[in-house]
Amino acid sequence: MTDLFSPAGTGAGADRRPAARRVRGALRRALPALLVYAAVRALGIAVLAVWGHFAGKSPHQLLSARWDSLWYSRIAEEGYGYTLHLPGGKVHSDLAFFPLLPWLERGLSAVFPLSAADAGLVVSALSSLLAAWAVFLIGERLYGRRAGVVLVALWAALPVGIVQSMAYSESLFTALAAWSLYAVLTRRWVWAGSFAALAGLTRPVGAAVVLAVWLGVLVALRRGERQGPRERPELRERRELPRMLLGAVLAPLGWLAYFAWVGVRTGSFTGYLDVQGGWGNGFDGGLAFGSFIAERLFGSAFAAGLGLLVGVGLVLWLYAVCVRRRQPLPLLGYAGAVLLLALTAKGYFGSKPRLMMPAFPLLLPLAVALARTRTVRAVATVGVVVLVSAVYGAFWLHGSGPP
């Protein structure tokens, strides 16, 4: 199996080909998955454009200039410091948004004739392809090439997959998280820690990537102790333990740095949590979300409440299947942390589907099952899911959408 991060001539089973050849080889293997991903997302945008034509709304504006996109582009253009005071005491500060996406938007708009909003679309498009590449590599490594392709198709066709084409940070975060996880699986600790640090500058859920890196280090150390140096020659390499420790130290730096900076900026140790509180966000163990579902189940919106309950049950069932099938602990830790942070947070509950979107390892059981079926059946099943996702994405963005 090609290891993109392996320097020629180092490590057990190192790929001795030049780096450029390793990358080209990995791209050739991933090309079917990337083409499938691009086709799914292109269909989603096409359906959005047709819907927008009849609804009299601009697809470009829906993708680049609504909700969080406006906050990111404002930060890119003017820096931090904007605060919106709303009736009822809520205070919306732009400090709630992590800086990596607006930094990239500012950099691209400075080099190319692009607005910050259009630069955000470019970042999202490139990031989503990089995310699909890493998702494929993880699926291929664990269950084979066919499962990797199906995994990418399912991730692209999530009901809220249209967010992957918006000027939002989900695609960028998923790309960094997925590459960090792949580096953990291939024992490239400095790469894993570096990607985790960047993920921590992208979204608060970057803590889940930090957890994955730390779990990967712990698993490697315990396995080495249990099997002994004679049975694990790679653990006898003098540089492996320092690389593990360096990766573990690097992983939380981005996340901690932004929390510390907001704390200094606000003059409070809990500054970032206070900012999120001003938006009505925070963590209550899922009480608010549970009450939200219960109100619909026992009120006039029974169907909506039942749908939410079934959706949460499906997600938890998929995670249980992942645990039962003994997915690598870093993947379980990462996906579990993403779910925990999403489901136990209060705030705008319509955001929860997109907050869970980076938890792509949950799709592995479905991808494996489809990969083992006949090709015609697999293509037909994924095709139906893709069409439903495209229509739902257009409906979603023309309605409440993902704030």
Side-chain angles (χ1 to χ4, degrees):
M1 180 82 55
T2 300
D3 184 351
L4 271 67
F5 303 115
S6 183
T10 65
D15 189 336
R16 297 176 181 274
R17 294 178 298 166
R21 289 185 61 190
R22 293 200 304 274
V23 172
R24 286 197 298 269
L27 269 175
R28 280 195 297 271
R29 290 201 324 277
L31 185 59
L34 296 179
L35 291 175
V36 167
Y37 179 82
V40 173
R41 295 293 356 116
L43 177 63
I45 294 174
V47 172
L48 179 68
V50 172
W51 194 305
H53 173 75
F54 289 100
K57 293 185 178 181
S58 165
H60 178 266
Q61 182 182 12
L62 292 174
L63 294 173
S64 68
R66 292 182 76 189
W67 303 298
D68 291 6
S69 312
L70 295 173
W71 288 87
Y72 283 121
S73 58
R74 182 184 288 112
I75 295 169
E77 293 167 349
E78 304 173 8
Y80 285 98
Y82 180 78
T83 301
L84 184 63
H85 295 267
L86 299 176
K90 286 189 177 181
V91 179
H92 290 185
S93 167
D94 58 9
L95 294 174
F97 297 90
F98 277 53
L100 187 57
L101 177 58
W103 284 350
L104 293 174
E105 290 178 343
R106 178 181 295 181
L108 279 177
S109 59
V111 175
F112 300 100
L114 295 170
S115 65
D118 287 338
L121 290 179
V122 172
V123 171
S124 183
L126 295 177
S127 297
S128 63
L129 285 171
L130 289 172
W133 187 9
V135 168
F136 165 77
L137 289 173
I138 290 172
E140 179 198 39
R141 184 176 187 86
L142 296 178
Y143 299 107
R145 188 180 187 188
R146 186 179 172 101
V149 174
V150 177
L151 179 63
V152 168
L154 292 177
W155 183 68
L158 285 172
V160 293
I162 190 67
V163 176
Q164 298 166 19
S165 301
M166 297 178 67
Y168 268 48
S169 60
E170 272 74 13
S171 291
L172 178 61
F173 174 79
T174 305
L176 295 167
W179 280 107
S180 180
L181 290 170
Y182 178 70
V184 168
L185 294 178
T186 54
R187 303 173 66 90
R188 302 301 151 186
W189 307 111
V190 178
W191 281 103
S194 300
F195 285 127
L198 290 173
L201 286 171
T202 308
R203 296 190 62 80
V205 75
V209 192
V210 177
L211 176 64
V213 174
W214 287 354
L215 288 174
V217 170
L218 288 175
V219 168
L221 290 174
R222 287 191 61 187
R223 187 174 298 161
E225 291 175 359
R226 185 169 61 248
Q227 296 182 357
R230 293 184 179 180
E231 297 179 35
R232 295 285 293 185
E234 64 269 29
L235 289 177
R236 296 203 307 263
E237 295 180 9
R238 291 182 178 181
R239 291 182 296 176
E240 178 143 19
L241 181 58
R243 287 199 302 269
M244 285 184 186
L245 297 178
L246 179 57
V249 170
L250 285 173
L253 292 185
W255 190 82
L256 290 175
Y258 188 67
F259 267 71
W261 181 80
V262 174
V264 171
R265 177 103 176 206
T266 59
S268 170
F269 179 76
T270 59
Y272 184 78
L273 298 178
D274 298 337
V275 167
Q276 286 288 357
W279 282 79
N281 298 327
F283 297 95
D284 62 358
L287 292 177
F289 188 40
S291 299
F292 179 78
I293 295 175
E295 288 174 4
R296 277 142 187 81
L297 283 173
F298 298 103
S300 59
F302 174 80
L306 182 61
L308 286 170
L309 194 62
V310 170
V312 172
L314 175 61
V315 168
L316 295 177
W317 175 76
L318 284 173
Y319 186 71
V321 173
C322 292
V323 173
R324 192 162 59 247
R325 294 186 179 178
R326 297 185 178 183
Q327 277 188 14
L329 188 58
L331 293 187
L332 291 175
Y334 166 75
V338 172
L339 288 185
L340 182 67
L341 292 172
L343 294 177
T344 62
K346 58 182 179 180
Y348 182 75
F349 302 115
S351 298
K352 291 192 181 295
R354 73 173 177 88
L355 295 179
M356 290 187 284
M357 190 178 68
F360 64 88
L362 295 177
L363 299 172
L364 277 167
L366 300 177
V368 172
L370 283 171
R372 291 173 178 171
T373 64
R374 295 169 55 187
T375 300
V376 173
R377 180 176 297 178
V379 171
T381 302
V382 173
V384 170
V385 173
V386 168
L387 288 174
V388 171
S389 171
V391 174
Y392 181 76
F395 167 77
W396 199 40
L397 280 195
H398 281 87
S400 60

